[in-house]
Amino acid sequence: MSVVGFIGLGNMGGPMAANLSKAGHEIKGFDVSAAAIEAAGKAGIACSASAVAVADEADAVITMLPSGQHVRDVYLGADGLIASARPGTLFIDSSTIDVETARQVGAAASEAGMEFLDAPVSGGVGGAAAGTLTFMAGGTAESFERAKPLLEKMGGKIVHCGDAGAGQAAKICNNMILGISMIGVCEAFALAEKLGLSHQSLFDVASTSSGQCWSLNSYCPVPGPVPNSPANRDYQPGFATALMLKDLKLSQAASQAAGASTPMGGLAAQLYSLHAGNGQAGTDFSSIIKLLRGTAS
Ligand code: NAD
């Protein structure tokens, strides 16, 4: 099995790297956090001294970093991966970042004779641990085919969405649907409460009628109807409000740059921002029902 580099061993990257290791790949890891390196060590992942040292030893390198700025630093910095790695290296960036950065890094990699795939994920920390993530990839067909066997060790569904940046575009469009649909479902429950309609009755009707959607059927924002949704554990994430807000800001920035009209996405970003500011940044995004109950009264 090939040597795979893994840069960014946090909540997502740690378990993803562990799954590659379990599948028989030799992993060379790197993170700027001592705690992340220690946790990776416990999962049997050896770490190198720098990102460049990782690329020196690996044929393929995966990055799982917090934001576009981190991705630019690691890839495009003076001592970054593109300036230092061997031609032919395959890079896969699974961070959720802006489309423009993904395209810039893809172009820089291609100019240097390297391959780059943006491959953000859906499925959260649970999916990362279980190896059931959905990957949405952007890049050439050749890069995708080369990356696929690795992605399959960490994910259940792998979709090639188009050229560089297309993976990030799919990710932010999907999460804009999710952010908006969750607010719609929460508003319906808040209204039902005022009208004396029970949570279970609304769920039984809407989950099998035209109101059905993932936010209702699989991730119901009130306790009871869907026993494993975060509402049943006081909104422990799950998917934190801060991460939803990050993704909605990315979709609004992309929308503005592309001249698209996404007014509901804009409104959703404002509501999650308000909710995060009320001390809810770390709770699950479905806890936005608390904000809506407040404003509805
Ligand atoms: P995290 O903060 O837990 O992990 C990021 C890691 O990157 C940290 O360990 C940090 O120390 C490391 N890092 C930062 N700068 C670095 C550098 N220059 N070199 C090496 N390592 C560096 O974040 P996470 O929850 O693992 O999320 C990672 C990405 O995945 C984000 O872009 C996030 O939006 C996306 N994502 C997260 C989830 C989720 O549920 N957590 C779901 C889908 C997508």
Side-chain angles (χ1 to χ4, degrees):
M1 288 278 184
S2 61
V3 180
V4 180
F6 211 113
I7 299 169
L9 298 162
N11 292 325
M12 295 292 289
M16 289 164 72
N19 281 333
L20 282 172
S21 170
K22 273 184 225 151
H25 291 284
E26 186 183 345
I27 307 296
K28 299 287 177 189
F30 177 67
D31 197 293
V32 289
S33 147
I37 290 176
E38 194 186 329
K42 284 184 185 147
I45 291 163
C47 282
S48 306
S50 67
V52 169
V54 163
D56 231 21
E57 299 174 89
D59 311 310
V61 178
I62 300 169
T63 48
M64 194 53 167
L65 298 164
S67 73
Q69 186 59 54
H70 294 88
V71 170
R72 277 194 294 278
D73 289 349
V74 167
Y75 281 93
L76 303 178
D79 300 325
L81 293 172
I82 305 283
S84 318
R86 275 170 287 127
T89 306
L90 169 67
F91 292 110
I92 303 169
D93 180 44
S94 286
S95 327
T96 300
I97 62 165
D98 55 288
V99 175
E100 196 43 45
T101 295
R103 287 180 179 156
Q104 276 172 14
V105 175
S110 164
E111 223 167 87
M114 301 162 190
E115 293 185 57
F116 177 83
L117 202 71
D118 54 294
V121 301
S122 167
V125 176
T132 56
L133 293 168
T134 294
F135 283 89
M136 36 217 119
T140 65
E142 293 73 29
S143 302
F144 179 72
E145 286 310 318
R146 208 175 142 195
K148 207 171 163 198
L150 293 176
L151 303 182
E152 281 170 346
K153 312 272 171 36
M154 302 180 282
K157 186 165 185 189
I158 326 287
V159 184
H160 187 203
C161 300
D163 294 337
Q168 297 296 348
K171 167 80 185 175
I172 58 177
C173 287
N174 176 72
N175 279 19
M176 189 175 74
I177 297 172
L178 175 63
I180 293 170
S181 72
M182 180 54 79
I183 290 171
V185 170
C186 288
E187 284 191 3
F189 275 108
L191 174 61
E193 287 165 4
K194 293 280 183 196
L195 297 177
L197 177 66
S198 76
H199 291 161
Q200 193 63 49
S201 296
L202 174 59
F203 180 84
D204 288 346
V205 172
S207 67
T208 53
S209 303
S210 47
Q212 64 183 280
C213 62
W214 189 86
S215 293
L216 174 66
N217 290 39
S218 303
Y219 212 81
C220 187
V222 295
V226 176
N228 61 359
S229 76
N232 296 281
R233 46 174 200 269
D234 202 19
Y235 300 99
Q236 290 306 303
F239 188 54
T241 299
L243 287 173
M244 173 51 82
L245 181 57
K246 172 194 167 183
D247 292 359
L248 285 169
K249 283 181 176 168
L250 288 172
S251 57
Q252 283 312 103
S255 174
Q256 220 168 11
S261 172
T262 54
M264 295 290 282
L267 218 57
Q270 285 181 35
L271 288 170
Y272 287 107
S273 174
L274 214 60
H275 192 46
N278 285 344
Q280 302 295 319
T283 59
D284 191 77
F285 79 110
S286 61
S287 66
I288 190 113
I289 191 167
K290 294 182 189 173
L291 179 87
L292 297 167
R293 282 186 183 123
T295 54
S297 60

